[in-house]
Amino acid sequence: MLNIENLHAHYHTDEGTDVHAVDGVDLEVGSNETLGLVGESGCGKTTLAKALIRLLPTNGEIVDGSVNFKETDLTELSDEELRKQIRWTEISMIPQNAMNSLDPVHTVGAQIVQAIRTHEDCSKEEAWNRTRELFEELGLDENRVKDYPHQFSGGMAQRAAIALALCLEPALILADEPTTALDVVVQDQILTMVSELQDEIDSSMIMITHDMSVVSETCDKIAVMYGGNVAEYADSETIIKNPRHPYTLGMRNAFPDISKDTQELISIPGSPPDLIEPEEGCKFAPRCPFAQDECREVTPEPEEFEEGHVVRCHRADEVEYLQEEASKRETWAEMKDDQGDLISATDGGTDE
Amino acid sequence: MSFSDILNRGGSDTPSGVGIGQRIREAFQSTVDLFSGERMGQFGVFLLITFILLAMTAPLLAPYNPDTRHEAEDGSLLRLAEPSGDHLLGTNHEGQDVLSQVLYGTQVSVFVGLFAALIAVFIGTNVGLITAYYGGLVDDILMRLVDIAYGLPFLPFVIVLVFIFGADLFNIVLVIAALLWRDSARVVRAEVLTQKERDYVESAEAIGASDFRILYRHILPNVLPIAFLYIAFAIAYAVIFEASIAFLGYGDPELISWGKMLYQAYTFGAIRFAWWWVIPPGILLMFLVSSVFFIGRTLEKFTNPELRH
Amino acid sequence: MSSHQSKMRVENLKKHFTANQGLLDRLLSRGDREVVKAVDGVNFDIREGESFGLAGESGCGKSTLGKTLLNLHDSTDGSIYFDDADITTQTGREDIAFRTEAQLIQQDPFNSINPRYKVFDWVKEPLDVHSLGTRDERTDLVMETLNEVGLRPAEAYASEYPTELSGGERQRVGIARALVLNPSFLVADEPVSMLDVSVRASVLELLNRLKEERGLTTLFISHDLSLLKHMCDRIAIMYLGQIVEVGPARQLINDPQHPYTEALVSSTPIIDPDVERERIRLEGEVPDPINLPSGCRFAPRCPKVMDECWDEEPRMYDVAEEQEARCILHDEAHADKDVSVGGAQATSD
Amino acid sequence: MGLQRYVGRRLVQLVITYWVFLTLLFGIFRLAPGDPTSMYQMDGLSPEARQQILERLGLNDPLHVQYMRFMVDFITGNWGDSFRYGEPVMDIIVIKFWNTVLLMGPAFFLAFAIGIIFGAFMGWVRGTKKEKGGLILTLFARSSPEFWIGIIVLMVFTFQLGWFPSGGIRAPGAEINSFWGRYLAWDFLHHLALPLLTGVIFYMATPTLLMRSSMISVLNSDFVEMKKAEGIPEYIILYKHAARNSILPVTTVVAIVIGLTIGGSLVIETVFNWPGMGREMVQSVTYNDYNVSQAIFFLMGSVVIFMNLVADIAYVYLDPRVRFDEQ
């Protein structure tokens, strides 16, 4: 249903250089499928989502690639076509911070009604009735449609934002860290509900998050992003249990698991690349314990291993060796020594 | 930067390392850095420095004593002479050289602007710091005072006070400052309230730092940019108010100021014909005030990063 | 319990806030001030050398409690014994002595360092405040501490402004500042929640190492139970200003005895696709700690609520070895009911 | 309920402000050099006669008696007689008050209306040449004292183009039949044009600049991006969301601009010979005509205080966050 090909999105800086925030992404989302986009801050996951519906800030630009949505290339549409045919009717968004994403001076209900009436020819009463129904479905008191956003708690505002995202039953929902700001109990309530409603209206979803456990539970497919690229892409189970990319392996080590009694947390040394005019070579190489000369010189291309398991790594075929070694603390510690003292102990690696 | 540099930096005489002076210097330095690439701000700085230099060198630059009544060749008073080689900006109704008067007028505006602004912002910043940090009754009372100060019509109040205390330049400065502090007090207070909530203040409390230290070493350097901004605004207002007072005839009778020149030109009816007498003081007033507004624009971007684009 | 040396003992600690009202309101109001009971009768002790975890949802009072323990808030009632001396009654010099013994590590690395300070000055400031050592000694100590927290070479980091550092590096600067006075007790308030996942582990590793090497006692505040399970010896769960359950970390997570703990654990997503969790859905969200219900504070949301729950506030019951829970399900009167609330969490090891 | 309480609290504040203001007024004019008799002195006023005048005016009473009488008189609208005109102050001021209100009121409202629209436009086209040009023009307008703008306006429109009269409120010899006839006349509007223009140019700078920066920060906010994602047409985002939110901070400078406007009336009325309160005040101060200047000062302060109250209450209506937090 959604097919992203070789997408490049850049930010222009005041210094005249470009930040290659999204640097050649290929992805697919099938209908009624949930894709998890995982990565750390600055990996380009949010830029990717915004580029899909062309919501990049003024200094951002899609420089190459295509976004094919139901046989239409979204990058080719005019602004007005995009607004009328795609935005919200086909693709909607669930924001990270619902409170800031609702206009504080209008009631929540009025904002949902506005979205409905912008795209559908329906009477005011009908739109209000639909809004009340949505509130009910999301576990909100329907009498609160006339409340202002600030009168809601964080969890309620998030539900309201979801109601807004679902009001036109879009084919694709972009959820950008939809529960990061919430406590675990509310997060659980909301994730469960979103999954149910998504099935009900039969839409697809791209869920952006940094939380491996959330994507593991919620998503069908996972794309692990690093430095503006998709490092690894496969179904959830494969990514969690049988990853091939050293970065994914490292992330697994660093993530505490509540179901385990003993677990050694191992960090990945160094910090993410800054993506300003990147050079040739694998972007993870400076932090990768398995990096070889080839990795530093040649940018790896995505390569498909089993059905639907795509990895961007020169050494992905040595899967057993990688998985074995990556689970050891010494691997990541030893690698640090090669890099010299400065990077070794810290995660910083400022360019001294 | 080498290791010894670090030590030298840390090495002021106070037992507590880097002195407050250096922090202010560093804040100032970062303010200076800010102007790189800001053409409006640079233009403002250039103008302001020019005016300050003009004020300092007015006695040297002025071709004549501004009070001298020049005479024509026939011995009559050289009234309202059009600009010429002898009098580049002509003469006024009493035969005085307009250019010389304009140059001397710079002194009054620059002096009033700078001093009134510095006093006002000094008071305002301290009031803002203390009220916001301690809150409670002090805050309540001082902020009510600020509210009341906002409830007073500014210019009439200044005129009444100047009239009562005497139209002496220092009185004018003090009266303007006494009313202008409210702006910076209010804004600095708001800024301190947000800074106070930031974790670095809590960190200072956790190590046992004194209130004085927290206020003047931690919070003050972070509110200085906004204090600088309000110095800029206060200069502008002070210059405008001084000129307005003089234009209404309540200025210091001993001094030549731009406002007074326009007052004389206006009451004499010169705006109908003697443009050379009217335009120069007005234009200079406008440029002096705009110079600080241009600087303020740039400072504002610093205090409110959202305005950068 | 007596076999353990207590580092900090808290008895019936309360911290109430009254809404800040202006002069006029005070004159006009008829005494109807709202009181926020952020911490409302807390008892526990932290043992010498242990990592004690404090968990709960936002607004439960865990951060307020942490700050009150450090004397950053004046307590409303109760006592805090630190090395057997009550710090709530101390003032002046004694307080200063306490300041060098107990330190704070903050959550937000982007906000917790004064942007106008260089790393060197920031780490040195505690020494300045307490006038410790000569100038050279201070410099040496700062450099040593920077090295110890992994900011190497210390000379390079010393002259940086915080804006030039990454989040993980800033957090290390914060740790260095806390350590430079050589404290024996640390309160770490969500020390890694703002950091990237790949960096978190290294900061946690550092905290663990410091605990070993310096014999530090740590109070670890976090909303992340998975993290606390891996970092702490014991965990206390807070709800609306009170501790509802306390016990050894693994035991408490694997076999929670309070319905709230159980719900928290069961809501935590699990990365391993092979482990299915039994979900307990709680209704609603944590209410504001104003106008609290009589009886059990958790009753309005509790899936196991009974009529008696509304009668009076439950006390703490011993529920297992070293584990206590504030729930009348554990009262003998209910011995016939199924009290084994645990077992919700399948364990894979 | 909450709103009533808010308004109630605000009214109590108003009373306190008024009380402090009146006390200040009393104090200031007692401090003033000279007394009403000084203007007769050159006529060879005898000390006895002078005492008589002071006695008649109650200026020999103890200070607290004067203070009490002053407070009562002011609150009851008994403002005494003008020393200079020998007429009740009220009679002198009423017409001048309306003259000022009809000049400065429209100047104030037009300045805000135009400033908000202009500022919203500059915020919307941020980063373009248009914005930069507008910004520089606005800064220059803000940098010019009212009398300088007035002088330029006079030089251009009156002395060069001859389109408008140079001052006054009506042509000499114009007939006035009634209160309304005084103002609902082409002649009045003809005289009003230039002083009004001067005021609008000067006062609109503050709302313009504030609206612009407020607009820029609102446009950077999450909800505006969200509205774009929702496919809401741009013009609706502009006026219904961005501008509507940006106006909130602009209302907070109403107080400052009101203060400027009232103060500015002194200058503008002087430049254009407008027979209003401001010009009267300047003159009465010079003549030690306490009662008149006091009364005018009181009226000006009242307008500022009252408009502040209106602005605060308007803010509560505009921002639901404040409206409901009070409950």
Side-chain angles (χ1 to χ4, degrees), chain B residues 4 49 56 67-68 70 98 104 117 169 183 208 232 242-243 247 249 279 295:
Chain B
S4 59
I49 291 176
M56 290 194 303
D67 294 326
T68 307
H70 297 272
V98 173
Y104 274 91
L169 193 64
D183 295 312
E242 186 279 326
F247 179 77
I279 302 281
I295 295 171

Side-chain angles (χ1 to χ4, degrees), chain B residues 150 152 155-157 159-160 163-164 247-248 250 262 266 272 278 282-283 286 289-290 293-294 297 306-307, chain D residues 21 28 139-140 142-144 147-148 159 212-213 216-217 220 256 263 266 270-271 281-282 285-286 297:
Chain B
Y150 271 104
L152 298 173
L155 194 58
F157 203 73
I159 285 179
V160 169
F163 181 71
I164 291 168
F247 179 77
L248 293 174
Y250 290 97
L262 286 165
Y266 176 80
R272 286 168 194 271
V278 179
I283 289 277
M286 191 168 82
V289 177
S290 65
F293 276 133
F294 283 136
R297 270 294 103 182
E306 274 175 338
L307 296 181
Chain D
F21 175 60
I28 287 170
L139 284 178
F140 272 117
R142 194 190 188 186
S143 305
S144 312
F147 61 86
W148 172 240
F159 301 126
R212 170 187 163 272
S213 50
I216 288 174
S217 48
N220 282 334
I256 295 167
L266 266 61
T270 303
V271 174
M281 172 161 180
V282 175
V285 167
T286 323
F297 202 70

Side-chain angles (χ1 to χ4, degrees), chain C residues 162-277:
Chain C
T163 44
E164 289 147 6
L165 306 179
S166 72
E169 287 169 326
R170 289 180 197 209
Q171 206 55 328
R172 284 166 194 270
V173 172
I175 295 173
R177 175 166 157 112
L179 285 182
V180 78
L181 289 170
N182 196 21
S184 58
F185 179 65
L186 281 184
V187 172
D189 188 356
E190 302 268 12
V192 296
S193 67
M194 307 277 285
L195 302 178
D196 271 327
V197 179
S198 70
V199 171
R200 278 183 197 177
S202 71
V203 173
L204 295 173
E205 202 178 304
L206 170 66
L207 288 172
N208 263 336
R209 205 183 75 219
L210 292 170
K211 180 193 163 195
E212 301 296 321
E213 290 173 2
R214 293 188 171 223
L216 282 168
T217 308
T218 314
L219 174 68
F220 211 109
I221 301 172
S222 175
H223 65 278
D224 186 343
L225 286 177
S226 342
L227 198 74
L228 292 180
K229 188 178 178 189
H230 288 103
M231 287 296 291
C232 298
D233 303 308
R234 292 193 302 144
I235 296 177
I237 307 287
M238 258 185 111
Y239 187 77
L240 284 181
Q242 289 187 330
I243 288 182
V244 294
E245 185 163 7
V246 60
R250 264 176 243 161
Q251 187 181 317
L252 182 130
I253 302 279
N254 292 342
D255 194 12
Q257 295 297 318
H258 191 285
Y260 179 63
T261 316
E262 195 189 0
L264 271 188
V265 172
S266 84
S267 298
T268 308
I270 298 172
I271 190 166
D272 190 335
D274 293 339
V275 183
E276 272 299 311
R277 65 192 163 101

